[in-house]
């Protein structure tokens, strides 16, 4: 779900347990922005992702995304203060709605008054449906300097999600250069291929279906920044969503695409001349200080 990757597809395929992405951390940025069932962390590289600082004794907004299918269910958060993936020994209390459909879910997670060895803690999120995701964080009173927010960046030269070229999108902190954009684009393409090749997700992988799926996936990877009036810009509207489900024969996960939640295309176009209608809510997560 927006997110979502710093490493190339080749590296991902070789290192991570590749799965069809269904639920994953969005904020803080996970090591592997592809959803994974690899226990305990869903793969990925802790050394190539930003480390977000949280204030001790506060609540942090943590965003979990159910992308498709079997990613629903309660999410549990744990902490390793010794940055050891075999020692997620601190359970973190959290509040938030239980993910029961495709979408993004914000949790308020209690950050304990503790310190992280070498300034590095690992936070683990996992769902009852066995999707695992980890992120690197620090817990320090010096936390205000690193508020976490998606960063607006103008994109260009993407081969796959080319509809966002020359547009401003919102990306997690740390994705700042062209190589990273292109890697994220390659990941989006790999997600597309996985979905198209998975009959549990896409019943009829026609070319038209592929175009519709691309709209969803690219919107997820490169959500457009709000317009200058602050209005949310969306890439996928209700009719597009309905068409996607029909054309692609999305049967098994039908209930998980709540098309009625998206704006009607006519309204969306009236509101915004842009052709792009957002699929997932753009979350700008700011620490609760
Ligand atoms: C955290 O604990 C330290 C001492 O253990 C204390 O001085 C500090 O006030 C605590 N901070 C919070 C936010 O509770
Ligand atoms: C699609 O899936 C089949 C079997 O699951 C596999 O053999 C094939 O290589 C996959 N194709 C692509 C393009 O991933």
């Amino acid at each position: 779900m927006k997110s979502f990757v710093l490493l190339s597809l080749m590296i991902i395929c070789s290192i991570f347990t590749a799965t069809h992405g269904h639920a994953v951390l969005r904020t803080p940025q996970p090591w592997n922005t592809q959803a994974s069932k690899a226990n305990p962390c869903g793969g990925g590289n802790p050394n190539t992702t930003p480390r977000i600082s949280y204030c001790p004794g506060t609540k942090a907004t943590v965003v979990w995304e159910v992308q498709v299918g079997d990613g629903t269910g309660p999410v549990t958060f744990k902490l390793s203060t010794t940055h050891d993936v075999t020692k997620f020994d601190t359970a973190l209390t959290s509040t938030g709605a239980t993910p029961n459909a495709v979408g993004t879910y914000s949790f308020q997670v209690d950050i304990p008054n503790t310190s992280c060895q070498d300034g590095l803690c690992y936070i683990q999120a996992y769902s009852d449906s066995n999707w695992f995701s980890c992120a690197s964080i620090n817990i320090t009173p010096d936390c205000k300097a690193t508020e976490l927010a998606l960063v607006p960046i103008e994109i260009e030269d993407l081969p796959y999600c080319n509809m966002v070229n020359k547009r401003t999108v919102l990306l997690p902190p740390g994705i700042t250069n062209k190589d990273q954009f292109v890697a994220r684009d390659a990941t989006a393409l790999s997600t597309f291929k996985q979905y198209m090749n998975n009959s549990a997700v896409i019943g009829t992988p026609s070319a038209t279906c592929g175009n519709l799926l691309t709209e969803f996936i690219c919107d997820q990877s490169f959500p457009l920044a709000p317009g200058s009036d602050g209005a949310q810009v969306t890439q996928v509207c209700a009719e597009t969503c309905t068409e996607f489900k029909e054309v692609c024969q999305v049967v098994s996960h039908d209930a998980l695409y709540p098309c009625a939640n998206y704006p009607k295309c006519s309204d969306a176009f009236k509101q915004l001349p842009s052709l792009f209608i957002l699929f997932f809510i753009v979350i700008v997560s700011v620490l609760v200080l």
Side-chain angles (χ1 to χ4, degrees), residues 258-276:
C259 291
N261 289 359
Y262 304 113
K264 286 211 171 291
C265 295
S266 53
D267 291 348
F269 289 128
K270 216 179 296 162
Q271 202 180 332
L272 297 152
S274 163
L275 284 175
F276 304 108

Side-chain angles (χ1 to χ4, degrees), residues 43-255:
N45 185 344
N47 300 319
T48 58
T49 47
R51 188 186 308 179
I52 302 303
S53 293
Y54 291 110
C55 298
T58 59
K59 289 180 187 298
T61 301
V62 172
V63 181
W64 178 257
E65 180 180 353
V66 176
Q67 298 175 327
V68 68
D70 52 2
T72 56
V75 184
T76 303
F77 301 97
K78 288 185 175 176
L79 189 74
S80 168
T81 55
T82 52
H83 52 85
D84 180 343
V85 295
T86 67
K87 291 203 178 92
F88 284 106
D89 45 15
T90 307
L92 302 178
T93 53
S94 66
T95 54
T98 299
N100 58 2
V102 166
T104 47
Y105 295 84
S106 290
F107 293 88
Q108 297 299 308
V109 175
D110 290 327
I111 301 296
N113 185 7
T114 185
S115 60
C116 298
Q117 187 180 315
D118 311 317
L120 177 60
C121 284
Y122 291 162
I123 187 169
Q124 178 203 49
Y126 64 94
S127 68
D128 268 22
S129 43
N130 285 316
W131 297 91
F132 289 87
S133 216
C134 292
S136 300
I137 67 168
N138 191 11
I139 298 174
T140 167
D142 185 26
C143 53
K144 292 190 180 175
T146 52
E147 276 194 351
L148 175 59
L150 297 178
V151 181
I153 292 174
E154 188 175 321
I155 291 290
E156 56 184 17
D157 296 337
L158 298 185
Y160 174 57
C161 292
N162 51 26
M163 74 291 282
V164 298
N165 286 340
K166 306 286 185 200
R167 291 183 145 257
T168 301
V169 303
L170 292 175
L171 296 180
I175 302 183
T176 53
N177 65 46
K178 193 178 157 189
D179 287 350
Q180 291 170 317
F181 303 155
V182 169
R184 194 177 179 86
D185 190 53
T187 300
L189 178 58
S190 93
T191 301
F192 170 80
K193 287 180 177 167
Q194 288 176 5
Y195 286 7
M196 287 294 273
N197 197 31
N198 182 352
S199 58
V201 180
I202 300 296
T204 306
S206 65
T208 312
C209 166
N211 291 338
L212 290 162
L213 178 61
T214 292
E215 285 190 48
F216 280 81
I217 287 179
C218 290
D219 183 60
Q220 209 179 338
S221 298
F222 297 97
L224 296 173
S228 52
D229 56 357
Q232 192 178 72
V233 186
T234 58
Q235 290 193 45
V236 175
C237 51
E239 291 90 330
T240 315
C241 178
T242 305
E243 190 185 354
F244 162 71
K245 294 202 320 194
E246 287 171 3
V247 172
C248 297
Q249 295 286 302
V250 180
V251 177
S252 58
H253 300 321
D254 185 71

